[in-house]
Structures are given as C-alpha cells and as structure tokens.
C-alpha cells in the first residue's frame, strides 16, 4: 500500500511541474543545452573538421553578418610597410582575453607568402623590411576567434590578400620610389603556414 502512495506522490509532483511550464525527465537536459541552469550557451557558429595549415579548425558562420576584413599596404621609411586592416562585423579583443569564441570578436594573423609574421590585436602594423626582400610578396590578413579557430564562410577562411613588390634598392632614390603596393585584393582562399609568429598589441 505504501508503494502506491509513493507512486501517487511522484505523479502529483510531475503534474505540478507540468502545470508550472516545466516537465519531468528530459526538460532539465534541454535547459542545460539552451544555456540555462548556469551552463554556458553553445559557441557561436559551427566548428568544422577542416583546418588551416597551422592546424586551427574553421568556425563556420552564415555570410550575413559574418566578420570581414580588408587590407591596405603603403610603403614606409627604410623599406618597411604600413599595414592597415579594415574590418566589418568584427572587433579586436585585447591581449589576455579568455580563449572562448564570441560573435564577431578575436584577433588577426598576418602572413607573408603563407608564413605567419605576427598576431594583431589592433588594425595597424608596421611590417619590417626584412619580411619583404626584393620581389613580389603576398600579404594576407586572416581573422580568428579568441579560441584560435578561424572565422570561415562557406568553408573558406575570412581573410584578405594584397600583393606588394619590393624593388632592388636604387642608390639615387630616397627609398619610397623603389616600393609599390597594388590595390588590395578582397577575401581569397586560405593560405596557411608551418609556424607561429610573434604578437603585436
């Protein structure tokens, strides 16, 4: 007889919970999945199996409202180059930011000919001349989330590439005449690289 009372008590509790817009059984699981009960919500976008050449996984987001980057390069003194990034739907996070993905936030990596040069936490950087010896070079800026996943749209990394050409030094020139930077190139396919560069803030 006492076991029947126990079953009736459990049923009564479930009925009360249902009328209070909470269910028995799996509803607690659903609340946790939705970021309730103190658990964090799922990260933004979808982390793909695809990785860049450095091993960072792609974080796929919808094209509408996705982070975007453009790159402009101008010759500077002593053979250096002034690099400026223009971003949309993206903000640079400061050094020391926790390694968690947040919508439209993170850092950029700068690559020269596919080799990483520097991590950028702001849109401007002076690229030293040693990275661009005589010849034409591909300068790429790629956007990352704070967890080091690569922002991606349609399976392609969010990045922009510009070609820069450093001519052989002319003893009669003041330096700037020997350098040229064609117009920036819009987002292109990914170019990874084997090792990490330093960080600029």
């Amino acid at each position: 007889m006492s076991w029947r009372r126990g079953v009736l008590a459990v049923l009564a509790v479930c009925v009360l919970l249902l009328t209070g817009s909470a269910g028995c059984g799996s509803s607690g699981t659903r609340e946790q999945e939705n970021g309730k009960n103190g658990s964090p919500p799922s990260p933004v976008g979808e982390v793909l199996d695809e990785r860049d050449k450095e091993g960072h996984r792609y974080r796929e987001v919808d094209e509408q409202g996705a982070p975007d980057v453009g790159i402009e390069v101008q010759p500077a003194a002593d053979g250096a180059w002034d690099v400026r990034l223009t971003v949309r739907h993206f903000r640079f996070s400061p050094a020391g930011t926790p390694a968690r993905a947040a919508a439209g936030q993170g850092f950029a990596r700068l690559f020269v000919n596919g080799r990483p040069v520097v991590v950028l936490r702001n849109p401007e950087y002076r690229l030293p001349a040693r990275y661009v010896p005589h010849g034409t070079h591909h300068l790429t800026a790629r956007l990352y989330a704070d967890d080091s996943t690569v922002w991606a749209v349609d399976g392609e990394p969010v990045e922009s590439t510009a070609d820069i050409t450093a001519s052989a030094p002319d003893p009669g020139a003041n330096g700037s005449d020997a350098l040229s930077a064609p117009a920036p190139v819009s987002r292109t396919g990914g170019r990874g690289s084997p090792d990490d560069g330093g960080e600029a803030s």
Side-chain angles (χ1 to χ4, degrees):
M1 207 59 162
S2 62
W3 65 270
R4 287 185 182 171
R5 281 193 210 120
V7 170
L8 289 174
V10 169
L11 289 174
V13 168
C14 283
V15 168
L16 286 173
L17 288 174
L18 285 171
T19 58
S21 74
C24 291
S26 64
S27 88
T29 304
R30 279 196 304 269
E31 286 183 354
Q32 285 184 343
E33 288 172 357
N34 291 332
K36 298 176 184 173
N37 293 336
S39 65
S42 60
V44 64
E46 177 187 356
V47 177
L48 306 179
D49 289 333
E50 187 173 359
R51 299 172 186 260
D52 67 8
K53 290 183 181 177
E54 296 180 287
H56 300 109
R57 294 177 73 176
Y58 287 5
R59 180 174 294 279
E60 178 80 19
V61 291
D62 292 335
E63 185 171 6
Q64 183 175 3
D68 199 7
V69 61
I71 183 169
E72 296 178 7
V73 188
Q74 296 293 330
D78 300 323
W81 297 84
D82 285 334
V83 179
R84 181 168 179 78
L85 306 183
T86 54
V87 295
R88 288 187 310 150
H89 309 297
F90 183 82
R91 66 185 181 281
F92 290 94
S93 53
T97 299
R100 291 191 300 267
Q105 179 177 311
F107 58 89
R109 274 196 169 100
L110 200 62
F111 299 83
V112 176
N113 300 327
R115 185 177 180 84
V117 171
V118 67
V119 170
L120 296 177
R121 298 270 180 188
N122 63 60
E124 295 181 354
Y125 179 68
R126 178 160 285 188
L127 180 67
R130 69 180 180 273
Y131 290 110
V132 283
H134 172 65
T136 298
H137 306 276
H138 308 294
L139 185 64
T140 300
R142 185 180 303 151
L143 298 184
Y144 292 76
D146 286 312
D147 64 354
S148 293
T149 52
V150 181
W151 290 111
V153 175
D154 295 330
E156 295 293 331
V158 176
E159 62 182 25
S160 184
T161 300
D163 290 343
I164 56 178
T165 301
S167 301
D170 180 353
N174 62 12
S176 62
D177 293 338
L179 307 171
S180 66
V185 178
S186 60
R187 188 188 323 162
T188 60
R191 293 189 179 99
S193 55
D195 54 3
D196 286 327
E199 180 164 335
S201 57

